[in-house]
Amino acid sequence: MAGMTLEQLKIFLAVAQNLHFTRAAEELYITQPAVSAAIHNLEQEYGVKLFHRIGRHIEIAEAGKLLQVEAQKILDQVSLAERGLRELNNLQRGELKLGSSLTIGNYWLPSKISEFKSQYPGIQIDCTLANAETICVGTAMGQFDLGLVEGDVKPALQNTLDYEIVASDRLQIVVGQKHPWFEWGEVDLSQLTQTPWVMRVRESGTQQRFEEALQNWGINLSELNVILVFTSGEMAKAAIENGVGATGISELMVKKEIQLGTLRAIRVIDNREGNGAIPSAVTERLALTCAERLALSAVEGSRSVGYTYAEIVRPFFKIKHRQRFQTALSKVFEQMLISSVLDGSHQHLSVI
């Protein structure tokens, strides 16, 4: 028995993914007869059908489905072994595969990658951006050496993934210039249900954290008037700038717009009963409209009146597979992220 080869497994996977011999051949830059021969030899060697031929089309058989899973595992391990060997050169060459949720990848991670590249210029870094849930699943499946997400790790993956806080971020409730809150600058918790909202999809780490904050504030998401749901924070930001409702968004994403005055961050007064000792004068003041409070603040100047503001602070998690082999490169990059925490370069994580 000759046994299967890595080349045969690569060809088989290409056919299984394309369900087409010619497209698999084009993908691998080999001839179509070479693809057919590799599949035929595997089927003959083990006496099974990997694909069903139906006219000019093919479907993967049960034996093919089994081999597809195992073949992918084998080739992934071979790839890791190759990368490990290449790294035995004082990290002068090699590849680092990162997965990052959108906010982190667009606004926080680039400076970390630049710092790493300045120390290891010969290293190729491949960074994939997607929502937090996709990055968690991809890390669990071995697609990424490390993942970075701002959403929680799902319970189903917590036994597979190690996760650690490496930074934190604040979510801001922001509105555009046409929104009445823009002039007020602050609202009560009870007023959050009185405006249209632009939200992110449920898989988004931003959305997950915003919904947690609402629950902690005693507000059910169903109480909000959600008029738009977007897959990206940039889309939500653009909608808000054009005067559509309010949104909860990372302060990293709106820093420039707030400085330019096209958006305004709205402070939320936590006026829930029993939320700390609020002086009676403040209690009376909370009964005023926001416009009246704004006018009163202008008269009083900078004098503090002891308001309690509700904040949304969320952690940035570094995640990795608990058992999968970790390359030297990923260990070095991971240590750099952890060192930034120890050096105090991130904001202190607060409790809502």
Side-chain angles (χ1 to χ4, degrees), residues 105-292:
N106 283 317
Y107 295 94
W108 183 81
L109 186 57
S111 64
K112 308 301 180 184
I113 292 177
S114 296
E115 179 184 345
F116 186 79
K117 284 287 287 183
S118 68
Q119 298 181 48
Y120 306 99
I123 301 303
Q124 177 184 338
I125 298 179
D126 180 5
C127 186
T128 298
L129 301 188
N131 62 50
E133 186 170 327
T134 299
I135 297 302
C136 287
V137 172
T139 306
M141 294 178 65
Q143 296 175 15
F144 313 120
D145 297 318
L146 295 171
L148 291 153
V149 296
E150 66 264 20
D152 292 332
V153 177
K154 298 292 186 183
L157 295 176
Q158 289 181 2
N159 290 331
T160 303
L161 298 175
D162 273 327
Y163 50 99
E164 181 178 2
I165 296 174
V166 292
S168 64
D169 176 35
R170 294 181 188 275
L171 293 189
Q172 301 272 19
I173 293 177
V174 300
V175 297
Q177 294 176 340
K178 297 178 182 179
H179 196 286
W181 291 358
F182 191 89
E183 296 298 328
W184 301 353
E186 60 183 35
V187 295
D188 302 332
L189 279 176
S190 59
Q191 291 176 286
L192 296 182
T193 59
Q194 300 172 15
T195 190
W197 285 89
V198 176
M199 296 290 188
R200 296 280 301 281
V201 293
R202 284 289 181 90
E203 297 79 8
S204 158
T206 297
Q207 184 65 19
Q208 292 170 10
R209 190 60 177 157
F210 187 61
E211 290 184 17
E212 288 175 11
L214 290 174
Q215 290 177 358
N216 289 340
W217 295 339
I219 299 173
N220 194 301
L221 182 63
S222 62
E223 298 178 56
L224 300 187
N225 176 22
V226 179
I227 58 171
L228 290 171
V229 177
F230 290 122
T231 57
S232 80
E234 291 293 337
M235 296 173 71
K237 181 171 68 173
I240 295 303
E241 282 188 290
N242 288 315
V244 180
T247 194
I249 195 168
S250 165
E251 66 178 355
L252 295 173
M253 294 187 65
V254 294
K255 183 177 180 180
K256 179 180 178 181
E257 287 76 12
I258 290 175
Q259 289 175 342
L260 293 174
T262 58
L263 293 176
R264 184 169 186 180
I266 304 302
R267 295 185 297 182
V268 179
I269 300 173
D270 190 346
N271 58 340
R272 290 173 294 176
E273 184 177 350
N275 184 49
I278 302 179
S280 59
V282 176
T283 305
E284 293 170 2
R285 181 164 176 157
L286 290 174
L288 302 175
T289 67
C290 281
E292 290 170 333

Side-chain angles (χ1 to χ4, degrees), residues 5-6 9-10 13 17 67-86 95 97 137-145 321 323-327:
T5 67
L6 291 178
L9 293 181
K10 290 177 182 177
L13 282 178
Q17 290 164 2
L67 182 58
Q68 185 177 21
V69 173
E70 298 304 322
Q72 189 63 62
K73 291 179 182 177
I74 292 169
L75 293 181
D76 284 348
Q77 286 300 120
V78 170
S79 176
L80 277 173
E82 290 176 335
R83 290 169 57 195
L85 290 173
R86 291 193 186 102
E95 181 184 16
K97 295 183 178 181
V137 172
T139 306
M141 294 178 65
Q143 296 175 15
F144 313 120
D145 297 318
H321 199 286
Q323 298 178 332
R324 187 178 175 83
F325 170 76
Q326 189 176 12
T327 66

Side-chain angles (χ1 to χ4, degrees), residues 44-81:
Q44 288 293 108
E45 182 75 23
Y46 298 99
V48 296
K49 279 289 183 183
L50 299 175
F51 299 97
H52 297 302
R53 281 75 170 174
I54 305 173
R56 299 182 62 182
H57 305 284
I58 61 172
E59 291 182 357
I60 192 165
E62 284 302 313
K65 292 177 181 178
L66 171 64
L67 182 58
Q68 185 177 21
V69 173
E70 298 304 322
Q72 189 63 62
K73 291 179 182 177
I74 292 169
L75 293 181
D76 284 348
Q77 286 300 120
V78 170
S79 176
L80 277 173

Side-chain angles (χ1 to χ4, degrees), residues 6-59:
L6 291 178
E7 186 64 23
Q8 286 176 325
L9 293 181
K10 290 177 182 177
I11 292 172
F12 164 76
L13 282 178
V15 176
Q17 290 164 2
N18 290 280
L19 291 178
H20 200 283
F21 282 76
T22 302
R23 283 198 287 269
E26 293 172 350
E27 182 179 294
L28 297 172
Y29 299 100
I30 60 178
T31 64
Q32 190 271 332
V35 171
S36 298
I39 300 301
H40 175 74
N41 290 339
L42 281 172
E43 292 179 329
Q44 288 293 108
E45 182 75 23
Y46 298 99
V48 296
K49 279 289 183 183
L50 299 175
F51 299 97
H52 297 302
R53 281 75 170 174
I54 305 173
R56 299 182 62 182
H57 305 284
I58 61 172
E59 291 182 357

